[in-house]
Amino acid sequence: MAYRQTDRVKEKLESKKKEIIRAAREVFAEQSYQGTSIKALAQKAKIATGTFYLYFSNKEALINMIVDEMFHELLDHIKKERAKFTDNYDKLQASMEACLNIFMREKTMAKILLVQVPGVNNAFNAKLIEIENELIKLTKGDLDELKSRGMLPEEDTLVCAMAFVGSFRQVIINWLREGKPENLAEACDTLMAYNLRGLGKQK
Amino acid sequence: MAYRQTDRVKEKLESKKKEIIRAAREVFAEQSYQGTSIKALAQKAKIATGTFYLYFSNKEALINMIVDEMFHELLDHIKKERAKFTDNYDKLQASMEACLNIFMREKTMAKILLVQVPGVNNAFNAKLIEIENELIKLTKGDLDELKSRGMLPEEDTLVCAMAFVGSFRQVIINWLREGKPENLAEACDTLMAYNLRGLGKQK
Amino acid sequence: MAYRQTDRVKEKLESKKKEIIRAAREVFAEQSYQGTSIKALAQKAKIATGTFYLYFSNKEALINMIVDEMFHELLDHIKKERAKFTDNYDKLQASMEACLNIFMREKTMAKILLVQVPGVNNAFNAKLIEIENELIKLTKGDLDELKSRGMLPEEDTLVCAMAFVGSFRQVIINWLREGKPENLAEACDTLMAYNLRGLGKQK
Amino acid sequence: MAYRQTDRVKEKLESKKKEIIRAAREVFAEQSYQGTSIKALAQKAKIATGTFYLYFSNKEALINMIVDEMFHELLDHIKKERAKFTDNYDKLQASMEACLNIFMREKTMAKILLVQVPGVNNAFNAKLIEIENELIKLTKGDLDELKSRGMLPEEDTLVCAMAFVGSFRQVIINWLREGKPENLAEACDTLMAYNLRGLGKQK
DNA sequence: GATGAATGAGACTTCATTCAT
DNA sequence: TATGAATGAAGTCTCATTCAT
């Protein structure tokens, strides 16, 4: 009987991969992608440098997987939260709150997505953009629907969606970088109100 | 006894430095800072690698100069445009329009400041943040004044300023990356209206 | 789960370091320190250039280690030989003979210490000087003792010690560079007699 | 009438060359040959880097010329001083005194010949050796003559000559490097007495 | 599978030398 | 002739990736 990958073996492998990713997230949140060597990474993950290559074909594959993972963590969570509501204004609010919550909970993710990684490598920069655009698309969907129901004035919904997302992004990034505003949850309310007014929501 | 540092020679040297910076801007707009070697840079500028070091002490000095330059180009222009108005709403609008105009005119600057450089090198990342924060500060100044005159509702002006700047940033960045929205000038009007409503401007 | 740092592996690493040092000694005996590139060094040691940096943090660390090593090899041997005698004249003779013997046995050491390295790098030039001065100091110690016992005329013992050491140094260096005098052991006797007369030894 | 190198032109050229050499001596006395760039050299000589190459074909030609010059300065002076005496003991003393005098007068020469240059470049290292050997040869000549007249015991005159020169060399070098012995002239007397005893001079 | 030593391409930078002015 | 900007080979060192154990 030949060697067979039992579930347990598979699981073990998978868990080691997870561990490496976990360590990598931590490191990348502190240092830039380019500034982090595989050796340093391996040390953090408590493996040998060679071992890294048993789990990832190269450095880029790792960051790709990390960003991919974050992509799903983030959007799945957002979609799940949105699904709880039917009103599009509520959906909008739920989206942003979900976003903030996940970033507050997982600061490493926030740092990687918003601070460290951008501008490093055109290849996966694309993936970051994808996340941003996906969020804009969701937002635009809401706006389009509200507009079609006459609940919003006649404005370019793409631009509005960008403004909406961009305003949140800016506040989160400043919070990450400089700790201001101190109370992110409160700022979220202010932002929400700002954007709803901006959209021209009828009271 | 030729080749004295006549004015003409000096001028030529200065223009060569400018040319290197120009080439560097172009390269950095395409590739990341870290991903660009001095050799590649030199090739773009049509000089030998060693020549680069006659004009800049090292790679970091170059990017510092570039970002510094952009910092001044951008903020000087904005301040000049703002100075033409006394009304704070007009100032806000002038700021953003100045920003957009300069980015439309100098796409490489926009790409470097907004797309390529962030997240690469903590040293001058700070300078980029400085630019962003300077703009937020200017905006906040306007909002504070408007608020003190009772022309704005009681909101956290820092958060509002971030939202304001962030919304523009997001639209510009998408335009840079994907060409959408196609008509940036028009989008600017939409954005302006959006933000003025968001601020709670009394008609 | 192989390739642990077993004793055998450790030993191998240590021997590799030794091998690099051995190769370096050989190269430095032929070419100057500055004139030897890491690449050339690596070739001689049959390793890749990068491998060098696994064993030494940089070029200077290597030469430091080499000179340090020689410092101890040389002085330890001299002191050991001196210790066999109580009479200071015997000690003097033992010192010089030990010196000659070690240089005859390890010509690369002699070439590096006496021919190649001096005058190159102020940092470890100091270490070479230290060796020379240590030897002069030992010699002076002997002379002072002899003088205090009235066995030497009233002369400046520092100058005499320098003369003593310098005369040996010159003969060894000429032997290294040009093979003259051919019979170094015999020359040693001549030198010894010369210096003892010079010191004014009472028969 | 074609352009002709008048004497005055020639003289001017020659004097510039001298000036460069003078500056180079000064620099080389402080820094090592390898550690000195042509640019630094040119600055010291108050010429442009390119100008250097109008007077010397390359860096090595300069050091060669310097050492050559020193070779003659030194040996001509020594020979001149020796010529004043007929007794070989007097000649020996005159040689060494001449040597010391010139080194005390021209410390840069001493530093270059004895401290900085050795070990740098096999090519002109040879020339330094030549100087040393020439001095040994002169000394040996004296010893041989004394020996043939029965005024010296039967010893290997080459070794004795080396001892003689080596003892002086050592004292001078220590004086240069560390300022000890403080009084070089006095040390010279001690050394002379030491060596005459060493040679076995009959009183 | 796991290890970490080994590899070598490639980055930055210096500097002897050349060359246009 | 004099200048100093320009050149590019060569040096040091890093690090992603491979490979022997």
Side-chain angles (χ1 to χ4, degrees):
Chain A
M1 200 174 356
Y3 176 83
R4 185 121 62 97
Q5 268 215 346
T6 61
D7 283 356
R8 214 173 123 221
V9 169
K10 249 189 206 163
E11 209 175 276
K12 211 171 169 188
L13 283 182
E14 211 46 43
S15 88
K16 190 135 199 177
K17 197 164 184 173
K18 285 247 167 68
E19 166 58 18
I20 295 174
I21 288 179
R22 193 200 54 69
R25 277 192 179 208
E26 225 167 279
V27 176
F28 287 144
E30 287 159 20
Q31 301 164 50
S32 73
Y33 167 75
Q34 305 257 17
T36 305
S37 68
I38 296 292
K39 203 179 168 185
L41 203 65
Q43 261 163 11
K44 190 90 176 185
K46 282 173 190 155
I47 55 168
T49 53
T51 308
F52 172 84
Y53 288 89
L54 295 176
Y55 294 91
F56 299 91
S57 56
N58 54 34
K59 203 180 170 185
E60 194 165 326
L62 168 68
I63 197 79
N64 262 320
M65 177 150 288
I66 288 178
V67 178
D68 252 6
E69 216 184 72
M70 291 182 174
F71 180 94
H72 286 113
E73 277 182 50
L74 192 60
L75 288 178
D76 288 357
H77 182 58
I78 290 172
K79 283 177 183 166
K80 210 180 77 192
E81 290 300 309
R82 286 169 55 84
K84 294 179 181 168
F85 302 91
T86 50
D87 178 68
N88 289 103
Y89 282 124
D90 293 339
K91 275 180 191 286
L92 276 177
Q93 178 146 6
S95 299
M96 291 301 129
E97 277 175 1
C99 210
L100 254 78
N101 282 332
I102 213 166
F103 281 151
M104 285 171 82
R105 205 173 61 222
E106 296 226 38
K107 238 178 162 175
T108 63
M109 188 202 285
K111 286 219 166 167
I112 291 173
L113 289 183
L114 299 175
V115 179
Q116 293 292 11
V117 172
V120 166
N121 179 312
N122 284 329
F124 63 68
N125 218 348
K127 199 156 285 160
L128 290 177
I129 293 169
E130 218 181 311
I131 298 181
E132 226 173 83
N133 285 354
E134 189 63 26
L135 198 52
I136 291 172
K137 212 170 101 188
L138 278 177
T139 306
K140 182 174 182 299
D142 288 329
L143 302 189
D144 283 337
E145 217 168 308
L146 287 166
K147 192 167 134 188
S148 73
R149 285 204 232 121
M151 296 171 75
L152 277 187
E154 279 295 323
E155 295 273 21
D156 182 333
T157 53
L158 180 61
V159 171
C160 289
M162 288 175 186
F164 196 103
V165 170
S167 66
F168 273 85
R169 188 199 159 283
Q170 187 74 47
V171 171
I172 295 170
I173 241 180
N174 274 62
W175 171 73
L176 279 171
R177 290 195 299 219
E178 297 159 62
K180 277 189 198 172
E182 281 166 37
N183 189 334
L184 191 54
E186 199 175 282
C188 183
D189 293 339
T190 307
L191 266 181
M192 207 57 218
Y194 184 97
N195 279 291
L196 291 183
R197 280 196 303 268
L199 289 168
K201 184 191 179 186
Q202 316 298 330
K203 281 151 212 176
Chain B
M1 223 183 291
Y3 216 112
R4 274 283 150 75
Q5 272 242 356
T6 59
D7 282 355
R8 199 165 138 240
V9 170
K10 251 187 202 162
E11 207 175 275
K12 217 174 173 182
L13 285 183
E14 204 50 42
S15 87
K16 189 141 204 172
K17 191 165 188 173
K18 287 244 170 70
E19 165 59 18
I20 294 174
I21 289 179
R22 195 200 54 68
R25 278 191 180 210
E26 222 166 283
V27 177
F28 286 145
E30 287 159 21
Q31 300 165 52
S32 74
Y33 167 75
Q34 304 255 20
T36 304
S37 68
I38 297 293
K39 202 178 169 187
L41 198 66
Q43 262 161 10
K44 190 87 175 189
K46 282 175 189 153
I47 55 171
T49 53
T51 307
F52 172 82
Y53 290 91
L54 294 177
Y55 292 90
F56 300 91
S57 55
N58 52 37
K59 205 180 165 184
E60 195 167 325
L62 167 69
I63 197 77
N64 261 322
M65 174 150 286
I66 289 179
V67 178
D68 255 4
E69 220 182 70
M70 290 182 174
F71 181 94
H72 286 114
E73 276 182 50
L74 192 60
L75 287 178
D76 288 355
H77 182 58
I78 289 173
K79 283 177 182 166
K80 210 181 78 193
E81 290 302 309
R82 285 169 55 83
K84 294 179 181 167
F85 301 92
T86 50
D87 178 68
N88 290 102
Y89 283 123
D90 292 338
K91 275 179 191 289
L92 279 176
Q93 177 147 6
S95 299
M96 292 302 129
E97 276 175 1
C99 213
L100 254 79
N101 282 332
I102 213 165
F103 282 152
M104 286 171 80
R105 206 171 61 221
E106 298 226 36
K107 245 180 161 173
T108 64
M109 187 204 286
K111 286 216 166 171
I112 290 172
L113 289 183
L114 299 174
V115 179
Q116 292 293 8
V117 173
V120 168
N121 178 314
N122 285 328
F124 65 72
N125 213 351
K127 201 157 279 161
L128 290 178
I129 293 170
E130 216 183 311
I131 298 181
E132 223 172 87
N133 285 353
E134 189 65 27
L135 199 51
I136 291 173
K137 212 171 100 189
L138 278 176
T139 306
K140 183 176 182 297
D142 289 328
L143 301 189
D144 283 335
E145 216 168 309
L146 288 166
K147 192 167 135 187
S148 73
R149 285 203 230 121
M151 297 172 75
L152 277 186
E154 279 297 322
E155 296 274 20
D156 182 333
T157 53
L158 179 62
V159 172
C160 289
M162 287 175 186
F164 196 104
V165 171
S167 66
F168 273 85
R169 188 198 159 286
Q170 187 72 47
V171 170
I172 295 169
I173 242 180
N174 275 63
W175 171 73
L176 278 172
R177 293 197 296 218
E178 296 159 63
K180 278 187 196 174
E182 280 167 35
N183 190 334
L184 191 53
E186 199 174 285
C188 183
D189 293 338
T190 306
L191 265 180
M192 207 58 218
Y194 184 98
N195 279 291
L196 291 183
R197 280 195 305 267
L199 290 168
K201 184 191 179 186
Q202 317 297 332
K203 281 147 215 178
Chain C
M1 224 184 287
Y3 216 110
R4 274 283 149 75
Q5 273 242 353
T6 59
D7 282 356
R8 200 166 137 239
V9 170
K10 252 187 202 163
E11 207 175 275
K12 218 172 170 183
L13 285 182
E14 204 48 42
S15 88
K16 189 142 204 173
K17 190 165 188 172
K18 287 243 170 69
E19 166 58 18
I20 294 175
I21 288 179
R22 195 200 54 69
R25 277 191 181 210
E26 222 167 283
V27 177
F28 287 145
E30 287 159 21
Q31 302 165 51
S32 73
Y33 167 75
Q34 304 256 19
T36 304
S37 69
I38 297 292
K39 203 178 168 186
L41 199 65
Q43 262 161 9
K44 190 87 175 188
K46 282 174 190 151
I47 54 170
T49 53
T51 306
F52 172 82
Y53 290 92
L54 294 178
Y55 293 90
F56 300 92
S57 55
N58 53 37
K59 205 179 166 185
E60 195 165 327
L62 167 69
I63 197 76
N64 262 321
M65 174 151 289
I66 288 179
V67 178
D68 256 5
E69 220 183 68
M70 291 183 174
F71 181 94
H72 286 114
E73 276 181 51
L74 192 59
L75 287 178
D76 288 355
H77 182 59
I78 289 172
K79 284 176 183 168
K80 211 181 77 192
E81 291 301 311
R82 285 169 55 84
K84 294 180 181 167
F85 302 91
T86 51
D87 179 68
N88 290 104
Y89 284 124
D90 292 338
K91 275 179 191 288
L92 278 176
Q93 178 147 7
S95 299
M96 292 302 130
E97 275 174 1
C99 213
L100 255 78
N101 282 331
I102 214 166
F103 282 153
M104 285 171 80
R105 207 172 61 222
E106 297 227 36
K107 245 179 158 173
T108 64
M109 187 204 285
K111 286 218 166 168
I112 290 172
L113 289 183
L114 299 173
V115 179
Q116 292 294 9
V117 173
V120 168
N121 178 312
N122 285 329
F124 65 71
N125 214 352
K127 201 157 281 162
L128 290 178
I129 293 169
E130 215 181 313
I131 299 182
E132 224 171 87
N133 286 353
E134 189 66 26
L135 198 52
I136 291 172
K137 212 170 101 189
L138 277 176
T139 305
K140 182 174 183 300
D142 289 328
L143 301 188
D144 283 336
E145 216 169 309
L146 288 166
K147 191 167 135 187
S148 73
R149 286 204 228 122
M151 296 172 76
L152 277 186
E154 281 296 321
E155 295 275 21
D156 182 333
T157 54
L158 179 61
V159 172
C160 289
M162 287 174 185
F164 196 103
V165 170
S167 67
F168 274 85
R169 188 197 159 286
Q170 188 72 48
V171 170
I172 295 169
I173 244 182
N174 275 64
W175 171 73
L176 277 171
R177 291 195 297 218
E178 296 157 62
K180 278 189 196 174
E182 281 167 35
N183 190 334
L184 191 54
E186 200 174 284
C188 183
D189 294 338
T190 306
L191 266 180
M192 207 59 218
Y194 184 97
N195 279 290
L196 291 183
R197 280 195 304 267
L199 289 168
K201 184 193 179 185
Q202 318 298 332
K203 282 149 210 173
Chain D
M1 203 179 347
Y3 177 83
R4 185 121 61 97
Q5 268 214 347
T6 61
D7 282 355
R8 210 170 127 227
V9 169
K10 250 188 208 166
E11 207 175 278
K12 212 173 169 186
L13 283 184
E14 212 45 45
S15 88
K16 190 135 199 178
K17 197 165 184 172
K18 284 246 169 67
E19 166 57 19
I20 295 174
I21 288 178
R22 193 201 53 70
R25 278 192 179 209
E26 226 167 280
V27 177
F28 286 144
E30 287 159 21
Q31 301 165 50
S32 73
Y33 167 76
Q34 304 258 16
T36 305
S37 67
I38 296 292
K39 202 179 169 186
L41 202 66
Q43 261 162 10
K44 190 89 174 186
K46 283 173 190 157
I47 55 169
T49 53
T51 308
F52 172 83
Y53 288 89
L54 296 176
Y55 295 91
F56 299 92
S57 56
N58 55 33
K59 204 181 170 184
E60 194 165 326
L62 167 69
I63 198 78
N64 263 321
M65 178 150 286
I66 288 178
V67 179
D68 253 6
E69 215 184 73
M70 290 183 174
F71 180 94
H72 287 113
E73 276 182 50
L74 192 60
L75 288 178
D76 288 356
H77 182 59
I78 289 172
K79 284 177 182 166
K80 210 180 79 194
E81 290 302 308
R82 286 170 55 84
K84 294 180 179 168
F85 302 91
T86 51
D87 178 69
N88 289 103
Y89 283 124
D90 293 338
K91 277 180 190 288
L92 276 177
Q93 178 148 5
S95 299
M96 292 300 130
E97 276 175 1
C99 211
L100 254 79
N101 283 332
I102 213 166
F103 282 153
M104 287 171 80
R105 205 173 61 222
E106 296 227 37
K107 242 179 161 174
T108 63
M109 188 203 285
K111 287 220 164 167
I112 291 172
L113 289 183
L114 299 175
V115 179
Q116 293 292 11
V117 174
V120 167
N121 179 314
N122 283 328
F124 64 71
N125 217 348
K127 200 155 280 160
L128 290 177
I129 295 169
E130 218 181 311
I131 298 181
E132 226 172 83
N133 286 353
E134 189 65 25
L135 198 51
I136 291 173
K137 212 170 101 189
L138 279 176
T139 306
K140 184 176 182 298
D142 289 328
L143 301 189
D144 282 336
E145 217 168 310
L146 288 166
K147 192 166 132 187
S148 73
R149 285 203 231 122
M151 297 172 74
L152 277 186
E154 278 297 321
E155 296 273 21
D156 183 332
T157 53
L158 179 60
V159 172
C160 290
M162 287 174 186
F164 196 104
V165 170
S167 67
F168 274 86
R169 188 199 159 285
Q170 188 72 47
V171 170
I172 295 169
I173 239 179
N174 275 64
W175 170 74
L176 278 172
R177 289 196 299 218
E178 296 159 61
K180 275 188 199 173
E182 280 166 35
N183 189 334
L184 192 54
E186 199 173 284
C188 183
D189 293 340
T190 307
L191 265 181
M192 208 58 217
Y194 185 97
N195 279 291
L196 292 182
R197 280 196 303 269
L199 290 168
K201 184 192 179 187
Q202 316 298 331
K203 280 149 211 174

